[in-house]
């Protein structure tokens, strides 16, 4: 098996624009009151690799900075390595709202 070069990998990689059009696995993940921003960033990266549909962040789970939300956590961004842009996510105050859906 041949080791691929960075250029060969980059050539086959989806762009951020085309990534939202790719069919994703219909899995929704609920992160409820996770304390560590590093764990949240890691879950974003894993979700990106597995191609899940959406992440829901609830309770006191730290969330990445976003223009529509107050004071996001930059450590989530640092650990997520850009996957916050490719994984759909939503912040909810109470997870019961989501579970009813």
């Amino acid at each position: 098996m041949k080791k691929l070069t960075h250029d060969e990998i980059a050539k086959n990689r989806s762009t951020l624009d085309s990534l939202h059009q790719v069919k994703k696995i219909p899995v929704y993940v609920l992160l409820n009151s996770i304390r560590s921003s590093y764990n949240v960033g890691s879950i974003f990266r894993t979700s990106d690799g597995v191609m899940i549909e959406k992440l829901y962040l609830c309770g006191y789970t730290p969330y990445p900075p976003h223009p529509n939300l107050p004071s996001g956590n930059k450590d989530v961004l640092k650990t997520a390595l850009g996957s916050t842009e490719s994984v759909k996510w939503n912040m909810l105050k109470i997870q019961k709202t989501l579970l009813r859906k």
Side-chain angles (χ1 to χ4, degrees):
M1 179 180 241
K2 177 188 167 213
K3 181 177 177 181
L4 297 176
T5 65
H6 179 70
D7 291 335
E8 291 171 324
I9 294 170
K11 183 172 64 172
N12 294 325
R13 185 177 296 150
S14 297
T15 64
L16 191 56
D17 294 332
S18 67
L19 196 60
H20 292 293
Q21 299 170 354
V22 174
K23 185 173 179 169
K24 302 210 176 182
I25 298 171
V27 172
Y28 299 86
V29 177
L30 173 67
L31 307 180
N32 184 31
S33 299
I34 296 176
R35 291 185 189 272
S36 170
S37 56
Y38 300 110
N39 286 343
V40 174
S42 176
I43 292 169
F44 265 98
R45 282 197 332 265
T46 302
S47 300
D48 183 33
V50 177
M51 303 282 290
I52 67 156
E53 189 70 34
K54 193 167 192 177
L55 281 177
Y56 290 96
L57 289 66
C58 302
Y60 54 78
T61 301
Y63 55 89
H66 191 274
N68 298 334
L69 296 172
S71 65
N73 191 317
K74 290 183 180 178
D75 288 336
V76 174
L77 278 182
K78 183 169 59 173
T79 309
L81 300 173
S83 59
T84 57
E85 298 296 321
S86 58
V87 175
K88 293 180 185 176
W89 63 276
N90 196 358
M91 180 69 187
L92 300 172
K93 294 289 181 189
I94 303 172
Q95 69 272 16
K96 289 179 184 178
T97 307
L98 175 65
L99 295 177
R100 286 187 192 133
K101 291 180 184 181

